[in-house]
Amino acid sequence: MPVMLGMPRPAMVQDPLTAGSGVAPLVDVHGRVHRDLRISLTDRCSLRCTYCMPEQGNEWLAKSSILTLDEIERVARAAAAAGVTTFRLTGGEPLLRRDVVDVVRRLAAIEGPAGRVEVAMTTNGIRLPELLPALVDAGLRRLNISLDTLRRDRFHELTRRDRLDDVLDGIAAAAASGLHPLKLNAVAMRGVNDDELADLVAFAGDHGAEMRFIEQMPLDVGHTWDRVRMVTRDEILAALAVRWTLTPVPGRGGAPAERWLLDGGPRTVGVIASVTAPFCGDCDRLRLTADGQLRNCLFSTTEYDLLPVLRAPRQPRGAVDAGVDGMLRACVRGKLPGHAIDDPAFLQPARGMNAIGG
Ligand code: SAM
């Protein structure tokens, strides 16, 4: 299936958010305005999901290359000044980073042309019971928690860790925290959890959360992705339609998930169909890896290295900030119209999802 890019956009885009601020927005040559920066805090993780990382032999990022709190804040400030409104912290497992609460506090205080930014996080939830009060106090506003199965034996097999109870405790803590909307993410996998899709939706609903299913993407470290094993958007919808009437929710904007009301609502479900129904035409996301590489797409094989800019000796603050801004703009300029997974020449990125930042 070809990549669907929507209508071509004019290269000159008026951005209401940055208009009058004196700052040019982050608009690419296809007219996409960038609002969302995914910030990976570490490539380390407390789980070893088979579709993401191998059990052994991971090549971890060198400690010296990991961005410091000050460096992350600096990049985030430059992005916010250029119209980015959301920072989503991810990894690896973001809650493994020792100063994660300080990261949230510093980022949540940043003001862009439209006011305060929003700080969100994607996590496996394991450390939430311990950290959530401090994270909320620091300014965390939204949470996505990954949960691929409700069965303990399956969870153990899939993640190579016996930690389902910890994840469920994390989800309970998130549900009790009042953070809204709360989303649970599952990668749908044939013969692994595709008999649990409706159960996961029901579980999410019972916790005041929206379940979202992700099509498996070719982003695993071991390059073992196989299209045949991938459960497609249409298969997910067919499985859910056995239990609920699904009504599309309009107004998706740049969001990765298509959403449906369950039996007329208010409960909803989402599907992120990056492979069979790509949404590149509306992508408003950039990524910052834990080691300071800017990326304009999950699937890109090009990275824009911020480390020399951030760590150049004897540079005045203004020069570093201008360098970061320039790198953000170069990254946006280099963005391709689509991810081209279906192109026979498609090359999977060298890094896995844990190092790119999911
Ligand atoms: N550790 C955190 C977590 O578990 O949510 C954040 C990082 S994890 C890489 C972010 C999300 O990427 C998770 O929901 C995970 O299921 C998803 N993911 C990882 N590898 C994937 C793949 N090959 N295809 C689709 N989703 C993937």
Side-chain angles (χ1 to χ4, degrees):
M1 186 172 167
V3 172
M4 288 154 62
L5 301 171
M7 295 295 288
R9 312 272 174 77
M12 291 300 293
V13 169
Q14 282 296 325
D15 174 27
L17 206 148
T18 47
S21 70
V23 178
L26 295 172
V27 186
D28 72 9
V29 295
H30 307 283
R32 294 170 293 196
V33 181
H34 290 76
R35 297 273 188 241
D36 183 324
L37 179 65
R38 309 278 161 120
I39 301 176
S40 175
L41 297 186
T42 176
D43 58 332
R44 308 259 171 170
C45 192
S46 36
L47 302 177
R48 292 287 180 278
C49 299
T50 50
Y51 54 80
C52 189
M53 293 158 83
E55 167 74 295
Q56 305 282 346
N58 286 292
E59 285 179 30
W60 305 112
L61 297 175
K63 255 198 176 144
S64 58
S65 71
I66 303 288
L67 293 185
T68 64
L69 175 56
D70 286 343
E71 289 168 340
I72 293 172
E73 183 186 2
R74 193 141 210 187
V75 179
R77 282 193 180 278
V84 165
T85 54
T86 303
F87 301 129
R88 175 169 293 281
L89 306 180
T90 181
E93 173 47 42
L95 295 180
L96 289 186
R97 186 160 164 142
R98 243 178 276 160
D99 58 359
V100 63
V101 174
D102 296 324
V103 173
V104 171
R105 195 180 310 286
R106 292 262 203 109
L107 299 191
I110 294 176
E111 301 255 357
R116 279 281 164 91
V117 296
E118 185 174 59
V119 180
M121 183 181 286
T122 300
T123 170
N124 63 29
I126 289 174
R127 295 197 67 207
L128 280 178
E130 166 197 351
L131 290 172
L132 195 51
L135 290 167
V136 173
D137 178 66
L140 183 72
R141 287 294 163 262
R142 284 193 289 129
L143 267 177
N144 290 1
I145 305 176
S146 302
L147 176 71
D148 294 321
T149 175
L150 292 164
R151 302 195 195 168
R152 189 168 172 183
D153 53 338
R154 265 187 198 179
F155 186 94
H156 194 167
E157 203 174 325
L158 186 61
T159 67
R160 304 180 177 110
R161 300 287 185 271
D162 185 14
R163 304 206 64 177
L164 176 61
D165 289 345
D166 297 320
V167 172
L168 297 182
D169 287 349
I171 293 170
S177 74
L179 286 188
H180 187 78
L182 176 62
K183 295 173 187 169
L184 305 186
N185 292 340
V187 178
M189 287 163 282
R190 196 174 305 288
V192 177
N193 64 353
D194 55 343
D195 57 348
E196 276 189 82
L197 304 187
D199 292 346
L200 283 162
V201 171
F203 173 87
D206 292 345
H207 290 76
E210 177 182 89
M211 194 68 221
R212 307 187 327 159
F213 295 107
I214 310 173
E215 285 183 345
Q216 190 171 348
M217 297 179 275
L219 287 169
D220 58 310
V221 173
H223 291 217
T224 60
W225 182 79
D226 174 2
R227 183 179 282 272
V228 177
R229 283 180 66 77
M230 184 190 74
V231 179
T232 65
R233 164 194 184 275
D234 291 353
E235 288 173 313
I236 294 166
L237 294 179
L240 300 181
V242 172
R243 196 173 311 180
W244 295 281
T245 302
L246 303 175
T247 314
V249 177
R252 176 181 180 182
E258 278 177 271
R259 300 169 67 230
W260 286 265
L261 296 172
L262 299 165
D263 286 343
R267 289 186 178 189
T268 51
V269 69
V271 177
I272 301 176
S274 315
V275 180
T276 66
F279 35 88
C280 308
D282 288 312
C283 178
D284 67 351
R285 287 170 288 287
L286 294 174
R287 291 187 145 76
L288 174 65
T289 67
D291 60 344
Q293 309 297 306
L294 278 172
R295 300 177 59 89
N296 53 33
C297 176
L298 268 178
F299 299 98
S300 173
T301 50
T302 306
E303 298 188 333
Y304 297 78
D305 189 358
L306 279 170
L307 283 186
V309 178
L310 290 165
R311 297 182 179 177
R314 293 179 295 282
Q315 287 292 309
R317 278 193 75 89
V320 177
D321 291 340
V324 173
D325 180 75
M327 201 61 100
L328 281 165
R329 291 178 194 285
C331 180
V332 167
R333 261 198 314 278
K335 187 155 169 161
L336 298 176
H339 60 45
I341 290 177
D342 285 310
D343 189 324
F346 172 74
L347 276 183
Q348 186 173 332
R351 295 181 190 246
M353 187 74 137
N354 69 302
I356 292 171

